[in-house]
Amino acid sequence: MDVIFTIVSRNYAAQAASLMESLAVAEPAAARVVVTTDGPIAFADSKIRVIDAATLVPDYGVMCAYYDALELNTAVKPHAFRALLAEEGVTSGAYLDPDIWVYRPLDEVREALAAAPLVLTPHMTRPLAGEANPNDHVILTSGAYNLGFMAARAEPQIDALLAWWAEKCRFDCRVDAAAGLFTDQKWMDLAPGLVSDLALLRTPTLNLAYWNLEGRELVRTAEVWTVEGRPLGFFHFSGFDPAHPGLLSKHQDRIAVAAGSPLAALLTDYAAVLMRNGHEQATQVPYGHRAFPSGQIATKAQRRRLLAAARAGEDFGGGLTARAEAWLSVEPGKGVRDPVPPPEGPWLAPSGELAAWLMAGPATPAIGALLAGRRDLRDRFASDTEGLKAWLLGPESLDGRFSGRLAPIEAFQDPDLSLRAARYVAGDLPQAGLRLAAYGLADRAGWPVALAAPLRRRFDTPVAELARGLPFTRLFLEIWESRGDLQKLFPLLSLRQRFAYLRWLIGGGLAEAGIDLSALPPAVDSHPMWELARLTVRREPPPLARPAATGRIGQLVVVEAWSEGCAARDALVFDAGAGRFRTPGGGPAAPPALAERVVYRVQPDLVAADAVALLANGVTWRSAS
């Protein structure tokens, strides 16, 4: 096997680190990869390769909204398999769940791959008697094979299988017994008929766990662990909590752990490993796709509504966006855009004239235009003017419906406005975390210079004692101070440690804090050591900001929702309901920097809000009607 990988959210970082630690001893020749689903993870072992799942899965942001953590992590698996098996020099690979410990080389897996293109382990090799959990019926509903392990060869029939599996996991990687679904796992019941051959490893020495441990003799010898007299290959600690090592798994009540038994010793050993690898700290990291910008936690029912909407072609901008939250706040069948008359003004004027009028003050017609066009905003902020401004500077600006540059700076004098806007985007963080989030938000949302200046003054200042030979700002120090794991991994005592920390920031640390590399001051971006650090990072995260306006178009047609034939073939479409630019055929498009003419085909009272949205996206125009 050339590569062995796992997939985790950040709260499972200790399990991933432990698995990789065991693999470093048992399978030292294999490349070790951790795919992360809600932000980067820093590992002490520099040989662990970390890949952001967003770089592997099309429409990943949308999937993060409608799947919970278990569903999302499993839906990524076929995509990760395809990407890794397609890499140069890779002939085979294996997946292991993060809560596995490998005790010896996986020779049986290697032998099986030599005989068949796909290798799986069954949940059961003998009946599970009685009604204790799990039982035969539970296994029937969850799948014949446990997908905490899978190995495959890099060949066309496997790529075809993985492509099919990935498509099934696009919308149907749910825990939904009524629909006959259980994450990615149930689909693989069909795999034997889709490949030329399958190796089924029935030995209890591989993937030993609560579902197949009953009646097996587990023994600890002086050298190794054995099961049924044979050396244990890997144990799957599914549902195990190291804070309660006397319980085998939260998913079962079939096996009791006897005090002083070999099983108790096995669990105690693994619990100690997890604690050593930072389990207590990792479990405090909140799931990255848990909440909407307002801080409201996404419920299962809301995720199911978003899944149905995504399947029907609705576009909320990817992830748990403000637009998705606004859509969910309205009863099914009713619209968010329910306009009332907007402020009077030159809404059909050329863009330059309109923008100058919007910023002239002291009134804020751009804010009034959005408020007139959106019933959800009117209801939510009826008596909270400053809250409305913070929401507009946060989620609405990120979504391209507003820009702080379209209102006089006097409108944003409240000193708490930047942190409140950051809270709407990043959730309920401590004060230090909100300041970091506001720094990144100011750049991504295009805040006016005067509004962003206090954040710039604070965070762009070099830290003299750490900046010797390196571009080290207060921003970098405060990110480090906010994370105990970073302080452990990067003590910053030497130039080498500080350089390694800069590489972590570039590789995803800044993105985790919501900060694009483009937000950094020129003194950092142009520093030779920063440029060197960027050259040594395998893959930088994609930019968080929206694409910039570019190019020129004759006509831009603004419609409530795209439909076939809504614009001529040489025009561009602004789908105002979705807030997206599209080709006449419905495909995605970048906003144009210049449109000769804008044609509004929406309700008259929505023209003002849509004109503000066009300006917020960087669009200019010569005439409008």
Side-chain angles (χ1 to χ4, degrees):
M1 289 171 292
D2 300 299
V3 60
I4 302 175
F5 74 99
T6 194
I7 302 169
V8 290
S9 302
R10 292 172 298 171
N11 66 330
Y12 255 58
Q15 283 87 342
S18 301
L19 170 64
M20 294 294 132
E21 179 184 326
S22 71
L23 286 169
V25 176
E27 290 286 341
R32 293 171 294 138
V33 176
V34 176
V35 179
T36 61
T37 59
D38 68 340
I41 298 173
F43 292 103
D45 186 346
S46 62
K47 293 183 180 180
I48 299 172
R49 179 181 168 194
V50 180
I51 300 177
D52 184 350
T55 65
L56 305 177
V57 184
D59 297 325
Y60 182 70
V62 180
M63 195 178 282
C64 294
Y66 59 67
Y67 281 151
D68 64 22
L70 171 64
E71 294 165 342
L72 179 68
N73 278 267
T74 52
V76 167
K77 197 181 302 174
H79 298 276
F81 249 123
R82 287 194 82 189
L84 292 170
L85 290 179
E87 290 187 345
E88 184 176 357
V90 174
T91 60
S92 65
Y95 168 82
L96 292 172
D97 266 356
D99 48 6
I100 282 174
W101 182 271
V102 181
Y103 291 89
R104 60 171 173 79
L106 302 177
D107 295 332
E108 298 97 326
V109 177
R110 199 170 283 103
E111 292 167 3
L113 283 169
L118 180 67
V119 183
L120 296 171
T121 55
H123 271 118
M124 296 168 47
T125 56
R126 54 192 184 190
L128 290 168
E131 296 302 315
N133 186 40
N135 51 50
D136 295 350
H137 186 266
V138 170
I139 299 301
L140 188 66
T141 58
S142 61
Y145 312 109
N146 179 259
L147 265 291
F149 161 80
M150 174 176 150
R153 297 198 303 234
E155 56 184 64
Q157 65 170 318
I158 291 298
D159 188 66
L161 173 72
L162 295 173
W164 165 82
W165 193 22
E167 180 58 31
K168 294 302 179 185
C169 287
R170 183 182 178 193
F171 295 121
D172 292 320
C173 193
R174 312 189 302 278
V175 177
D176 188 349
L181 300 174
F182 185 79
T183 65
D184 66 323
Q185 189 165 272
K186 199 68 161 56
W187 288 109
M188 292 308 281
D189 284 5
L190 303 177
L194 301 177
V195 292
S196 61
D197 198 5
L198 167 70
L200 196 60
L201 297 179
R202 295 168 50 84
T203 171
T205 64
L206 301 180
N207 217 1
L208 187 63
Y210 70 80
W211 55 80
N212 60 9
L213 180 59
E214 187 178 47
R216 310 283 190 191
E217 185 182 16
L218 184 67
V219 175
R220 186 178 201 169
T221 70
E223 295 82 21
V224 296
W225 284 96
T226 66
V227 57
E228 304 289 77
R230 289 175 286 173
L232 177 61
F234 62 87
F235 195 99
H236 193 162
F237 295 87
S238 176
F240 175 70
D241 182 354
H244 303 283
L247 298 176
L248 173 58
S249 171
K250 65 182 180 182
H251 303 308
Q252 67 93 41
D253 58 15
R254 180 171 288 274
I255 298 172
V257 181
S261 66
L263 178 59
L266 184 86
L267 298 177
T268 299
D269 287 352
Y270 184 62
V273 171
L274 290 180
M275 292 302 187
R276 171 167 51 80
N277 282 321
H279 179 267
E280 289 184 353
Q281 296 92 331
T283 54
Q284 299 305 308
V285 179
Y287 178 49
H289 310 298
R290 72 195 184 284
F292 295 97
S294 66
Q296 177 193 336
I297 303 299
T299 66
K300 182 176 180 179
Q302 288 174 324
R303 290 189 189 274
R304 290 297 179 256
R305 277 188 67 191
L306 290 173
L307 187 148
R311 196 192 289 270
E314 293 280 359
D315 181 1
F316 300 115
L320 296 173
T321 61
R323 193 187 317 159
E325 185 175 15
W327 179 81
L328 287 167
S329 70
V330 178
E331 294 179 22
K334 296 184 179 180
V336 172
R337 279 162 57 94
D338 183 9
V340 298
E344 291 189 6
W347 300 111
L348 295 178
S351 59
E353 180 182 334
L354 176 59
W357 174 73
L358 291 172
M359 293 182 285
T364 54
I367 295 177
L370 256 70
L371 204 57
R374 294 269 297 280
R375 177 162 53 85
D376 63 310
L377 297 182
R378 297 194 298 272
D379 292 346
R380 181 170 184 171
F381 299 105
S383 58
D384 187 4
T385 302
E386 295 306 309
L388 172 64
K389 292 175 183 177
W391 182 267
L392 295 180
L393 287 171
E396 297 297 332
S397 291
L398 290 181
D399 220 21
R401 296 182 184 276
F402 182 78
S403 169
R405 300 175 188 271
L406 298 177
I409 191 60
E410 292 76 18
F412 307 118
Q413 294 302 305
D414 185 342
D416 295 328
L417 207 56
S418 61
L419 294 188
R420 192 168 179 183
R423 182 176 286 109
Y424 281 138
V425 171
D428 194 14
L429 299 175
Q431 195 84 346
L434 284 177
R435 285 197 297 266
L436 294 170
Y439 180 94
L441 176 61
D443 174 71
R444 289 155 52 208
W447 286 2
V449 173
L451 183 60
L455 294 165
R456 285 286 182 189
R457 285 194 296 270
R458 177 186 179 88
F459 286 117
D460 289 350
T461 304
V463 181
E465 62 271 25
L466 297 174
R468 295 188 296 271
L470 292 174
F472 211 105
T473 65
R474 170 63 58 179
L475 172 70
F476 298 167
L477 179 60
E478 291 206 14
I479 292 174
W480 182 83
E481 289 176 336
S482 70
R483 295 269 300 270
D485 59 332
L486 297 180
Q487 295 165 36
K488 180 179 178 181
L489 289 168
F490 308 107
L492 304 185
L493 299 176
S494 67
L495 181 67
R496 182 174 182 177
Q497 291 169 350
R498 295 196 295 275
F499 185 76
Y501 175 57
L502 294 186
R503 293 184 69 249
W504 177 83
L505 289 170
I506 293 167
L510 285 170
E512 184 178 347
I515 300 169
D516 270 333
L517 295 178
S518 61
L520 301 176
V524 171
D525 191 52
S526 62
H527 196 287
M529 293 299 286
W530 183 260
E531 293 176 347
L532 177 62
R534 292 187 71 168
L535 289 173
T536 64
V537 173
R538 181 190 294 265
R539 180 187 287 121
E540 294 180 6
L544 300 168
R546 300 189 319 277
T550 182
R552 178 175 176 174
I553 191 73
Q555 187 177 84
L556 176 62
V557 180
V558 180
V559 297
E560 181 64 23
W562 175 88
S563 61
E564 193 72 41
C566 66
R569 284 185 294 179
D570 59 349
L572 204 62
V573 178
F574 180 57
D575 182 339
R580 290 292 178 267
F581 292 86
R582 304 188 188 280
T583 65
L594 173 64
E596 292 294 332
R597 183 174 182 81
V598 173
V599 177
Y600 293 99
R601 294 176 181 165
V602 295
Q603 295 182 52
D605 286 343
L606 288 172
V607 168
D610 292 341
V612 169
L614 293 181
L615 289 171
N617 278 281
V619 179
T620 62
W621 58 90
R622 300 188 192 280
S623 66
S625 61

